[in-house]
Amino acid sequence: MAHPSSLYRAGLTAFALLMAANTASAGETPREQWHRAAAQQYSALAGAAETLEQSTADYCDTPSTDGRATLEDDWLDAYQRWQAVRYVQFGPVEQQSRGWQLQFWPDGKNLVGRKVKTQLNADTPPTLEDVEQAGVALQGFPALEYLLYDDAMDATALESPNACGLLSAVSTNLVHVTRALEDDWQSFGERFIGTDSYTHTLLQSAIQSVELLEEKRLASPLGLRGKPASIYRAEAWRSGKSVALMRASLEGLQKGLMPGLTALLESRGHPALANKLEKQLKEVAARADTLPDGLAPAIKGEGSGSEPEKKAAFADFQGFYVQLSQLRRLLARDVAAATGLRRGFNSSDGD
C-alpha cells in the first residue's frame, strides 16, 4: 500500500494538472505561464520520487517479482518526470548541483558503476549519509538503473542488505532533492516573473536542452557526430530506455515551454512562427512515439535483429534526427531572432 503522503501529493499533482489543462491562462504573462508550468512539473517529479521511495521500501520489505516490476515502473516514471522539466537549466536546479544529483550523465568513465560497486562491497549496508557523502555519481536515477538493470547485478541479489540499503538511500535522497526543487522553484517565482531578462534565460535554456537532445542524447551514440556508434554513450543504456526519456523531454517542452512561448511570439507579431514551431514539435514527438524505447535496435552489434532490420531501424532514427535538427533550427534561429535573443556560435548550427 502506498504511503499516505505519497497518495496525497499524487492527488494534488493530478488535480493541479487537470485544472491547468482546463483553465484559460488569459491575462498571464509568458513568464507567469512558464513559472506555473514548471511548478506543476516539479510537483509531479517530487510526487513520483515519493512513490518510488515507497515502492523501494515495499520491495525490500517483501521481495517479489511483482514488487520488482512495480519498482522498475516507478523508477522510469520518476526519471521521465525529471526529463520533462529538464529544459529548465537555471535557478534552483543549479543550486548544490541538483541537476547532477538527479542524473550524473555523461559518464564516460563509468563512475556510476564504480561508485555502486564500492557500496555493494562495503562491510555494512549503505545509508543515506553514505550516499550524500559519496558524491553526485551515486545519488540519482543512473545509480538506481545500475542496481535494477546492470548485468553485473546477476551476481548480486537485489534484495540483499547492501543492494536494498543502497536502493533505499538513493531513492530517499531523490525525494529530498525533488522536494527542495519544488519548494525553491515556488520561492523563485517572484524573482523569475518580475525580471525581464529571465525571458531570454528560459528560451536559452530550452534551446540548449534541444541541442543536447539532438547532439549528445541521439547523434553521439548513433555515430552521427564523427565517432563510431556506441550504445555506452547513450542515456539509460543499461535499461534500454534512452528514447523513452527523449519522449518525456519532448512532452515536457510541449506542456512547459510552448504555452508561454506561443503567447510571447503572438504578442511580438509572430503567430505564424508560433504555429510552425508547435507543428514541428508535435511532429517530432509523434515520430518519437513510433520508435523503440532504446537505441540498441539501430546500432550494429547491439540488441537483436537481422542486418536489414538494423538498417531499417537506423533509417528511422535518422529521420527522427532530421526532425530534431529542424526543431532546433526553428528555436535557435527563427525564435531567437523574433524574440531578440542573441546567442553565441554553437557547433550544432552547421555554419
Side-chain angles (χ1 to χ4, degrees):
M1 182 175 179
H3 192 277
S5 66
S6 299
L7 292 174
Y8 177 70
R9 182 183 287 271
L12 287 179
T13 299
F15 178 75
L17 292 174
L18 179 63
M19 291 299 294
N22 292 281
T23 303
S25 58
E28 281 189 323
T29 67
R31 286 197 301 279
E32 286 173 331
Q33 292 185 60
W34 286 325
H35 182 265
R36 176 172 52 82
Q40 292 161 2
Q41 290 169 321
Y42 278 132
S43 178
L45 170 59
E50 289 185 344
T51 300
L52 173 60
E53 181 188 37
Q54 185 60 49
S55 62
T56 297
D58 292 342
Y59 175 81
C60 288
D61 285 345
T62 311
S64 67
T65 300
D66 288 345
R68 175 163 183 150
T70 298
L71 178 57
E72 292 175 355
D73 288 345
D74 290 344
W75 166 82
L76 180 59
D77 180 60
Y79 206 169
Q80 289 174 314
R81 300 286 185 177
W82 157 239
Q83 298 297 325
V85 72
R86 197 171 165 188
Y87 66 93
V88 179
Q89 302 180 71
F90 60 92
V93 75
E94 291 184 302
Q95 298 171 12
Q96 302 171 14
S97 301
R98 284 169 176 163
W100 286 100
Q101 288 186 60
L102 291 170
Q103 182 183 7
F104 184 80
W105 185 85
D107 183 20
K109 296 182 179 180
N110 191 28
L111 191 57
V112 169
R114 287 155 51 194
K115 290 278 189 178
V116 171
K117 287 179 183 177
T118 296
Q119 295 297 330
L120 291 176
N121 294 325
D123 294 334
T124 57
T127 65
L128 176 59
E129 184 179 4
D130 292 330
V131 167
E132 290 173 341
Q133 293 179 352
V136 293
L138 194 67
Q139 294 173 351
F141 294 109
L144 293 178
E145 181 189 21
Y146 183 101
L147 292 167
L148 292 170
Y149 294 102
D150 196 272
D151 292 341
M153 288 300 295
D154 291 342
T156 303
L158 186 62
E159 64 271 19
S160 66
N162 278 29
C164 263
L166 189 54
L167 277 170
S168 299
V170 175
S171 63
T172 296
N173 184 72
L174 283 171
V175 170
H176 293 173
V177 174
T178 56
R179 280 177 178 165
L181 268 175
E182 179 186 14
D183 292 342
D184 289 351
W185 181 257
Q186 288 289 2
S187 300
F188 185 60
E190 183 176 354
R191 179 181 174 189
F192 176 78
I193 292 170
T195 306
D196 289 344
S197 62
Y198 274 117
T199 293
H200 284 173
T201 300
L202 187 284
L203 293 177
Q204 177 87 311
S205 177
I207 293 169
Q208 288 174 344
S209 74
V210 174
E211 290 171 344
L212 177 68
L213 202 167
E214 176 195 6
E215 297 175 24
K216 301 295 185 182
R217 299 172 66 186
L218 182 64
S220 179
L222 287 178
L224 300 176
R225 286 289 178 180
K227 294 182 180 180
S230 174
I231 194 65
Y232 301 110
R233 285 199 296 272
E235 287 179 296
W237 61 267
R238 291 181 170 94
S239 59
K241 298 297 183 183
S242 307
V243 181
L245 298 184
M246 295 182 202
R247 291 192 202 109
S249 293
L250 293 168
E251 182 179 348
L253 288 168
Q254 287 178 304
K255 294 181 178 179
L257 173 70
M258 281 309 301
L261 182 51
T262 296
L264 178 64
L265 290 172
E266 290 179 347
S267 71
R268 301 284 180 91
H270 301 285
L273 177 57
N275 290 334
K276 184 177 181 180
L277 180 63
E278 184 175 5
K279 179 182 178 183
Q280 182 65 31
L281 182 52
K282 284 182 178 179
E283 289 177 355
V284 174
R287 184 64 170 264
D289 287 340
T290 69
L291 300 173
D293 281 348
L295 294 174
I299 298 178
K300 187 175 181 179
E302 299 290 342
S304 59
S306 64
E307 190 60 28
E309 289 172 334
K310 290 284 185 185
K311 289 182 178 179
F314 187 78
D316 287 340
F317 277 105
Q318 279 184 312
F320 179 46
Y321 170 73
V322 169
Q323 288 183 312
L324 267 177
S325 297
Q326 293 169 342
L327 175 64
R328 186 258 306 159
R329 290 191 187 97
L330 271 176
L331 285 166
R333 295 180 178 177
D334 299 9
V335 171
T339 58
L341 173 63
R342 291 190 175 187
R343 306 191 71 233
F345 172 78
N346 187 287
S347 60
S348 66
D349 289 342
D351 296 330

